[in-house]
Amino acid sequence: GRDEAVRYEPLQEGMNSLAFKRIGKVEWDKYLYSVILVPGFGPEQEGVALDPIAARRCDSAAKKYISGVAPFIVVSGGHVHPNKTSYCEAVEMKKYLVTVLKIPDNAVLIEPYARHTTTNLRNLNRMIFDFKIPEKKKVIIVTDESQSRYILGNMAKTAIRDLGYLPYENLIKISETESTYLPNKLSLQANPFDTLDP
């Protein structure tokens, strides 16, 4: 009875339709990065739509977007916390970016399936390849210090354990809250052991 792994298909439509239509018109050479990735953070409290930590990550990403380094923000996170929640991290983060922070709707893409930091990256990579976003242009991850340390540290072990590969190449620390990487095409592999991730 759980359809979280397909609920938002096709991803080119729905909340992504305006941004997806804009992808083919972007002059990519004007930008340092392809997208700004914001990993989600799900609230543990029942009935809370957006965790304050996720909102702060969005605040940082909005500043980065306004600085002009990338044409899109991608918010990533599924229906994770609490168990069987009706709230999707990516959906709630996009609502916050567009309605509160006034980032244009056509500049924010949702990746509504990820359930862990490793799948934040993997699922974004799939969107990059599927949506014809330049794969040779780096992604910048904007988050908080704690998750950034994890991304640059123990995430590699988790990715090998859970995915069997690293979903990134050339992972580089930019600041205490930012890192960059290039997508790994191995991300296109389906994972038959994880029924809640696509």
Side-chain angles (χ1 to χ4, degrees):
R2 300 187 69 171
D3 67 347
E4 292 97 319
V6 293
R7 190 177 296 178
Y8 299 92
E9 293 299 312
L11 278 182
Q12 296 92 332
E13 299 178 8
M15 290 184 76
N16 283 340
S17 60
L18 293 178
F20 178 74
K21 289 173 185 174
R22 185 171 150 250
I23 289 172
K25 302 172 185 175
V26 171
E27 295 181 45
W28 294 100
D29 290 342
K30 291 184 175 180
Y31 298 98
L32 187 57
Y33 306 110
S34 60
V35 300
I36 300 163
L37 170 61
V38 188
F41 189 96
E44 293 292 348
Q45 187 176 348
E46 198 74 46
V48 175
L50 181 68
D51 191 279
I53 291 174
R56 286 195 295 273
R57 292 177 182 178
C58 288
D59 294 340
S60 298
K63 291 176 184 174
K64 206 73 183 175
Y65 170 79
I66 291 167
S67 77
V69 298
F72 297 101
I73 297 172
V74 179
V75 284
S76 174
H79 295 261
V80 187
H81 301 289
N83 187 39
K84 297 187 179 180
T85 180
S86 61
Y87 294 111
C88 174
E89 294 170 15
V91 168
E92 299 307 322
M93 287 193 293
K94 174 160 184 172
K95 288 178 184 176
Y96 177 75
L97 282 163
V98 173
T99 61
V100 177
L101 302 182
K102 306 304 180 186
I103 301 299
D105 188 306
N106 69 359
V108 184
L109 289 155
I110 65 166
E111 183 295 293
Y113 300 130
R115 302 180 61 78
H116 194 274
T117 309
T118 55
T119 51
N120 289 137
L121 275 67
R122 182 201 66 186
N123 294 358
L124 167 61
N125 296 347
R126 292 174 174 177
M127 290 174 67
I128 286 172
F129 295 121
D130 290 346
F131 290 8
K132 308 301 185 212
I133 293 170
E135 62 191 76
K136 299 300 183 186
K137 191 173 279 288
K138 290 183 178 180
V139 171
I140 182 167
I141 306 169
V142 176
T143 184
D144 49 56
E145 289 188 27
S146 175
Q147 189 180 42
S148 190
R149 283 194 299 271
Y150 172 73
I151 288 169
L152 293 157
N154 289 333
M155 186 179 72
K157 293 179 183 176
T158 306
I160 294 297
R161 181 194 71 199
D162 294 349
L163 306 179
Y165 59 88
L166 299 178
Y168 56 81
E169 296 176 2
N170 300 320
L171 179 65
I172 298 170
K173 177 180 178 178
I174 299 299
S175 73
E176 294 304 314
T177 58
E178 298 171 349
S179 54
T180 64
Y181 77 94
L182 288 169
N184 186 342
K185 275 197 172 173
L186 291 174
S187 300
L188 295 172
Q189 297 181 44
N191 183 352
F193 302 107
D194 192 347
T195 56
L196 287 179
D197 255 332

